[in-house]
């Protein structure tokens, strides 16, 4: 099997090379073969137990692998069946029994997908010897039982209404093939065997991943025959390669590129309407004067979020007021604080705060936003000192208490609990977690929602929590960073909404001749 | 044998010193691998478990002892991120980086030596000024910017060279084609240095008595310049080119990122951002070893070229 494929691949790449040398776009080649060449960032591992970057590894993983559940495409992140056809909740929310599809085959002739694979996948992630970074996702799991070949039961330590999100398409949720892992041994992460619409043909992690269509896929057959992911870290290089026809789809990361491609008649700019990536400013409410609600609310009025988003993100941003993004289960519209510097000044004065000097801890990549915030706060008499740090240092700072105000980014699974529990529940205050607002106002609501199995009642609880957080303002939500990609006009049907991988979904894409 | 002993007696302490400094530096910068891997939302419990797995909960001197022992026996650990042996990954990526650096050295020699000689021979002429202008321009351009500029002009507008990658495995022609712009970018910063140095040592040598003697004997000018002057002028140039190799390894990081070439440079880049200590250590230790080896070779070569210091 590999012999023929390798030869085909060599032939294909030789042709691609020759065409590239002749200055012909890959598109011309694709007229015969339905294939795309896509930019990718650094790829560390394709093994679901070790995947780190949701955007880069996730975009390959969602084509190769499936989870028990997935998130529907569209503007709302509803959980829908994937490898499971459905589930039943039992024992007061302590057991989840999933019925599995019976028509699912592993890639590469590794046989049928069964309940055994589910048990093995979860236990492998939880096994300390695996050292999986995704183990935390299943920390509430007490055990996985095989009921029969196509039925699997999860036993939980505590009742949980939000558990289904753990087995959805997100990092550790992707199922792994026991037979393949045993056959491949240490090489498992290099050549992952999945059940998805595409399978790995070639994987050189630092360079490229080549996927080919899986004709035995249980869902709708993809139209593309081949997808190549090329690792290009530098966005200017990717942009030149795209414009020269050597790449068919690239990420767009800044405003200038967005504006340029929006006007380009040969390209299609794709911007998602929602995303689960939310930026906010978090106050340290354990420190004066941020312990006063009125001071935090004054900051809300002092900031012109729209001006910041227009300047830095333009079409790629969407101003938000709620600490859970729109479209996520439990989202509700909350009170917004109109930009009103005069009111902000008055509120600060009423709170007895004069000539306030404070600092904003922010990673270097958000310097532009920080400078605008600094200028806006100056208008109401606040002197903001910007403390720029690198990403790993910032990660650490989020779990500490030294900051006054800290730039925060929440890239979470699309569930209200995933946004609220780690960041606003008092049990997660540093040093135990990343509730670096040191907020404790909605514990009861979060706890109750976690064990409320009636969907409407749970949504109501989240709505109450979101309204209370908006009122208390332990954090100021600023913007969503919308997923943005550009492709050729001839490439159709790319879904940019699928989350939480924040990746373009190429499952149904095709090239119009 | 004597040479080998002398080499090892110098190289090993230097290498150990280098990795020790690296070990300490990596642990002095804030943020740790557990935090970098688990990201912004890590809970203290998850972090503690991972730190324990990675041995980061041990006191620094214990970590150093473990590190040193395994370093000496050649077990350089697994990458924290990819879980594969760190040294193996470096050795896999090394040929591509070495190819880039060697190509840059070839370019430096092929361009700088003739340019330096011509500037010296035609001193204060428009050729001399022209060469100076070009080399100063190249020297003062940041590598990152120059790389993108070359891509824009030679790849994007003129379509002479590919934009990214290292070429097809096994196809030397394609690999060389992919190598031109990256090696030129990498070489650019050093072209100026070597050209200026060649020029100045040529000027010095051209004023020497033995050159005057050679001319007085009636030798043809090209013979005087190449055989009598350049050979002597090369002494200092060779030393600098040898030392350049080490700096080229460092420069490869940026060049590999811009041209999306696989290599040790991009690997170290990613590893630093992820605080992947074993991977950074393996990458930098191999670079340090190469640096030490090229310095030693430079010394040997200097001895061969200069009989006066031969031992």
């Amino acid at each position: 099997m590999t012999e023929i494929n390798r030869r085909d691949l060599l032939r294909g790449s030789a042709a691609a090379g020759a065409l590239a040398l002749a200055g012909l776009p890959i598109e011309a080649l694709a007229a015969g073969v339905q294939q795309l060449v896509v930019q990718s960032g650094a790829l560390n591992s394709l093994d679901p137990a070790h995947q780190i970057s949701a955007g880069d590894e996730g975009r390959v993983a969602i084509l190769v692998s499936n989870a028990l559940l997935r998130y529907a495409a569209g503007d709302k992140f509803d959980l829908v069946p994937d490898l499971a056809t459905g589930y039943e909740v039992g024992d007061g929310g302590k057991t989840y029994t999933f019925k599995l599809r019976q028509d699912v085959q592993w890639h590469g002739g590794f046989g049928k997908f069964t309940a055994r694979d589910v048990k093995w996948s979860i236990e492998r992630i939880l096994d300390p010897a695996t050292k999986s970074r995704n183990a935390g996702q299943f920390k509430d799991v007490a055990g996985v039982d095989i009921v029969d070949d196509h039925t699997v039961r999860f036993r939980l330590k505590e009742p949980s209404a939000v558990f289904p999100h753990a087995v959805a398409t997100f990092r550790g949720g992707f199922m792994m093939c026991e037979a393949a892992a045993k056959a491949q041994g240490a090489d498992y992460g290099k050549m992952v065997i999945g059940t998805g619409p595409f399978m790995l043909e070639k994987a050189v992690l630092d360079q490229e991943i080549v996927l080919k269509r899986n004709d035995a896929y249980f869902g709708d057959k993809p139209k593309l025959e081949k997808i190549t992911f090329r690792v290009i870290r530098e966005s200017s290089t990717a942009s030149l390669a795209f414009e020269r026809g050597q790449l068919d789809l690239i990420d767009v990361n800044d405003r200038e590129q967005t504006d340029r491609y929006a006007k380009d008649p040969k390209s299609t700019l794709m911007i998602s309407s929602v995303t689960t990536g939310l930026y906010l400013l978090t106050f340290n409410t354990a420190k004066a004067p941020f312990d006063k609600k009125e001071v935090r609310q004054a900051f809300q009025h002092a900031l012109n979020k729209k001006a910041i988003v227009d300047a830095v993100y333009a079409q790629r941003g969407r101003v938000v007021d709620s600490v859970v993004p729109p479209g996520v289960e439990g989202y509700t519209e909350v009170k917004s604080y109109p930009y009103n510097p005069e009111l902000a000044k008055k509120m600060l004065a009423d709170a007895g705060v004069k000539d306030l000097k404070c600092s904003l801890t922010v990673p270097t990549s958000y310097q532009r936003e920080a400078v605008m915030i600094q200028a806006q706060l100056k208008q109401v008499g606040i002197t903001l000192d910007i403390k720029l740090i690198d990403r790993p240092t910032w990660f650490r700072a989020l779990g500490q208490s030294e900051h006054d105000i800290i730039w925060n980014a929440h890239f979470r699974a699309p569930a209200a609990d995933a946004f609220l529990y780690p960041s606003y529940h008092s049990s997660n205050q540093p040093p135990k977690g990343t509730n670096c607002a040191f907020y404790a106002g909605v514990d009861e609501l979060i706890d109750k929602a976690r064990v409320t199995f009636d969907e409407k009642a749970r949504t109501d609880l989240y709505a109450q929590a979101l309204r209370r957080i908006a009122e208390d303002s332990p954090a100021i939500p600023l913007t969503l960073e919308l997923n943005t990609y550009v492709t050729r006009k001839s490439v159709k049907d790319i879904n940019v909404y699928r989350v939480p991988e924040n990746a373009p979904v190429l499952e149904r894409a095709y090239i119009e001749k | 044998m004597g040479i080998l002993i002398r080499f090892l007696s110098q190289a090993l302490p230097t290498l150990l010193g280098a990795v020790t400094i690296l070990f300490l530096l990596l642990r002095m910068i804030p943020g740790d691998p557990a935090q970098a891997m688990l990201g912004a939302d890590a809970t203290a419990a998850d972090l503690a478990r991972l730190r324990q797995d990675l041995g980061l909960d041990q006191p620094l001197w214990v970590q150093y002892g473990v590190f040193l022992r395994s370093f000496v026996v050649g077990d350089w650990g697994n990458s924290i991120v990819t879980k594969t042996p760190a040294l193996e990954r470096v050795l896999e990526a090394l040929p591509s980086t070495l190819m880039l650096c060697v190509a840059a050295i070839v370019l430096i020699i092929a361009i700088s030596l003739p340019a330096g000689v011509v500037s010296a021979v035609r001193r204060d002429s428009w050729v001399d000024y022209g060469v100076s202008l070009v080399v100063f321009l190249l020297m003062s351009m940041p590598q990152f910017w120059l790389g993108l500029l070359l891509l824009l002009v030679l790849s994007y507008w003129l379509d002479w060279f590919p934009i990214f990658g290292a070429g097809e495995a096994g196809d030397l022609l394609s690999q060389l084609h992919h190598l031109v712009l990256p090696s030129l970018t990498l070489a650019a910063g050093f072209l100026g240095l070597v050209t200026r140095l060649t020029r100045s040592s040529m000027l010095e040598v051209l004023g020497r008595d033995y050159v005057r003697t050679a001319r007085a004997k009636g030798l043809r000018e090209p013979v005087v310049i190449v055989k009598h002057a350049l050979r002597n002028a090369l002494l200092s140039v060779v030393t600098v080119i040898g030392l350049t190799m080490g700096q080229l390894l460092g420069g490869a990081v940026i060049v590999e990122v811009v041209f999306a070439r696989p290599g040790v440079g991009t690997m170290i880049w990613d590893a630093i951002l992820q605080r992947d200590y074993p991977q950074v250590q393996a990458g930098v230790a191999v670079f340090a070893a190469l640096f030490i080896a090229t310095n030693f070779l430079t010394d040997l070569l200097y001895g061969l070229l200069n009989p006066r210091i031969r031992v």
Side-chain angles (χ1 to χ4, degrees), chain A residues 33 39 71 80 128 135 178 243 299 351 365 401 409 421 424 436 480 496:
Chain A
V33 187
Q39 182 202 357
Y71 293 98
V80 293
E178 182 181 10
E243 286 170 33
F299 271 75
S365 34
S401 55
Y421 182 73
Y424 304 101
C436 54
L480 301 176
V496 293

Side-chain angles (χ1 to χ4, degrees), chain A residues 479-512:
Chain A
T479 182
L480 301 176
E481 185 171 11
L482 303 172
N483 312 326
T484 311
Y485 310 97
V486 62
T487 188
R488 313 195 176 291
K489 267 272 179 309
S490 57
V491 181
K492 305 289 180 192
D493 225 359
I494 291 178
N495 168 14
V496 293
Y497 307 119
R498 177 107 153 256
V499 286
E501 294 85 358
N502 294 315
V505 178
L506 307 170
E507 200 176 313
R508 279 185 284 281
Y510 65 95
I511 297 160
E512 200 174 59

Side-chain angles (χ1 to χ4, degrees), chain A residues 262-310:
Chain A
K263 288 185 208 130
D264 178 10
K266 287 183 292 184
S267 309
T268 310
L269 184 72
M270 299 171 293
I271 305 179
S272 66
S273 60
V274 286
T275 167
T276 53
L278 169 70
Y279 295 134
L280 10 73
L281 296 180
T282 299
F283 294 103
N284 185 345
T285 65
K287 266 189 188 178
F290 305 111
D291 52 346
K292 286 185 188 153
K293 182 169 88 179
E294 296 72 22
V295 174
R296 303 192 298 261
Q297 288 177 334
F299 271 75
Q300 293 255 34
H301 285 297
L303 288 182
N304 186 350
K305 297 188 209 178
K306 190 172 177 306
I308 298 172
V309 172
D310 283 350

Side-chain angles (χ1 to χ4, degrees), chain A residues 38 55 74 104 111 116 153 188 190 197 230 405 407 448 471 504:
Chain A
V38 179
V104 182
R116 249 182 93 88
R153 180 172 299 133
Y188 185 64
K190 291 182 190 159
R230 292 293 321 225
I405 310 169
W407 181 270
K448 202 164 164 200
E471 172 66 23

Side-chain angles (χ1 to χ4, degrees), chain B residues 22 29 102 109 148 237 272:
Chain B
L22 177 69
I29 49 176
V102 169
I109 294 173
L148 287 176
V237 177
I272 291 175

